[in-house]
Amino acid sequence: MAEIVWDRTILFLFPPDALMRHLVTPVLERLEEHGFEPTRYEVLWHRPPGQDAFQETKITSVWKAYFYRQVDVVFDLGPSLALLVEDRSSAPEPHRRLRALKGASDPAAAEPGTIRRDLRGVNVLLDLVHSSDSPEDSRHEAGIFMGDGHGTALHGDQGPLRDLVALLEAGVPRESREFDDVRAGLRSRVVAALWHELDDGARKLAPELAVSARDGAGAELAALLPAGHPLAELLACEFLPEGERLDLRRAAAKLAVHGVSMDRWEHAVLQTSMLFPPLRRWQ
């Protein structure tokens, strides 16, 4: 087994949101364009057991423990794909170069031309990709995400990796909904389910309000319902950090009574966006 040169080899992770959105291949093409070649890979079918160790710094110094647990929401979406990528270029500082190519953790703050901005990550948690910041971090995180054997070697042949990516993405429908699409979709289903409870005036206003990306439209929509309606709180919720936080488990129970449900992507987007600002439709 060839020795890994950690000064030029980086741990690169595709979390479940990248696979659900079928964006792994475009990212691999970006990596190739900038001289980064995958050399090893590993599929993670469940939340990695070393995830707490990996996020220890953020847990203790950046996030509250409650915020950190939102990482579980992301890994519950499905499998992840971990890679070791080697910088084949002669440029210095591979980890810094890849960090710049990836873009800021907040997709809305990432510069155009970066992966997270151009491919439109949803928010800090659903941000499409992760890469290690230093050779030491790469060595450590490779053990967490790929085990001591550091995954399956490619031996210069990218075919097996591309075939695996095709299978993983073919296993789930391509997800294209961003935050505003998810919020509008949920509101629209609720309005449709409650159509018989709306008066003629409310029926004229509700369709446009349901699909609006304008913050505040939800409160206007909720006001169209009969007083004290159990779904008014959900319709009024903006699902943004500056607003009231909704317990989605309780909300799901109320929705079920009216024949409405949330899929796992909607739940993940709305749950995480209540803590981390999402990239918006107009950005």
Side-chain angles (χ1 to χ4, degrees):
M1 182 181 296
E3 182 179 355
I4 298 172
V5 180
W6 292 107
D7 284 346
R8 303 201 66 79
T9 301
I10 305 167
L11 184 283
F12 194 89
L13 180 70
F14 289 102
D17 53 305
L19 288 162
M20 289 186 70
R21 297 179 64 188
H22 293 199
L23 292 176
V24 174
T25 296
V27 173
L28 289 175
E29 291 172 352
R30 292 270 186 119
L31 295 177
E32 183 179 348
E33 289 171 6
H34 288 79
F36 295 100
E37 179 181 324
T39 58
R40 295 171 178 269
Y41 66 93
E42 183 73 29
V43 177
L44 292 83
W45 293 101
H46 305 284
R47 179 183 183 278
Q51 179 70 25
D52 286 349
F54 165 59
Q55 295 285 9
E56 181 179 3
T57 300
K58 288 184 177 179
I59 296 171
T60 56
S61 63
V62 181
W63 296 343
K64 296 178 181 178
Y66 174 77
F67 281 22
Y68 166 63
R69 291 271 64 92
Q70 305 308 306
V71 175
D72 295 341
V73 175
V74 177
F75 280 96
D76 284 346
L77 286 171
S80 306
L81 178 64
L83 305 176
L84 291 184
V85 298
E86 185 173 339
D87 187 0
R88 302 294 196 186
S89 75
S90 58
E93 300 186 70
H95 287 78
R96 181 192 60 78
R97 288 180 56 239
L98 186 48
R99 186 165 61 248
L101 175 62
K102 182 178 57 176
S105 296
D106 180 356
E111 295 290 333
T114 62
I115 291 170
R116 286 171 171 155
R117 186 53 179 263
D118 290 358
L119 299 183
R120 299 187 63 81
V122 173
N123 57 35
V124 167
L125 287 181
L126 297 168
D127 61 352
L128 298 177
V129 294
H130 163 77
S131 68
S132 301
D133 290 333
S134 69
E136 294 76 18
D137 286 346
S138 284
R139 183 195 298 269
H140 174 63
E141 293 173 16
I144 291 172
F145 289 107
M146 305 178 76
D148 294 337
H150 300 318
T152 301
L154 287 165
H155 303 296
D157 180 8
Q158 298 297 307
L161 175 60
R162 297 302 181 109
D163 290 342
L164 176 61
V165 168
L167 288 170
L168 289 170
E169 293 186 338
V172 292
R174 184 177 69 86
E175 184 54 71
S176 61
R177 291 171 294 173
E178 299 182 17
F179 169 79
D180 288 300
D181 304 313
V182 166
R183 190 174 68 175
L186 178 59
R187 287 175 175 172
S188 296
R189 293 201 305 280
V190 171
V191 169
L194 303 181
W195 192 251
H196 64 287
E197 299 184 43
L198 302 179
D199 60 31
D200 290 343
R203 289 179 181 177
K204 290 179 181 179
L205 297 173
E208 182 177 350
L209 290 172
V211 300
S212 175
R214 175 175 58 82
D215 296 338
E220 296 174 33
L221 191 60
L224 300 178
L225 297 180
H229 199 284
L231 294 185
E233 183 184 17
L234 182 143
L235 285 179
C237 184
E238 297 294 344
F239 300 100
L240 295 171
E242 59 269 25
E244 293 291 328
R245 195 175 301 161
L246 189 71
D247 186 326
L248 288 185
R249 289 176 297 179
R250 292 182 179 179
K254 293 179 181 179
L255 286 170
V257 173
H258 293 83
V260 180
S261 62
M262 283 183 287
D263 62 41
R264 59 179 183 164
W265 179 250
E266 290 173 318
H267 180 272
V269 169
L270 297 177
Q271 181 68 45
T272 58
S273 293
M274 285 190 285
L275 297 170
F276 300 97
L279 184 66
R280 304 303 299 276
R281 185 181 294 172
W282 55 83
Q283 293 177 304

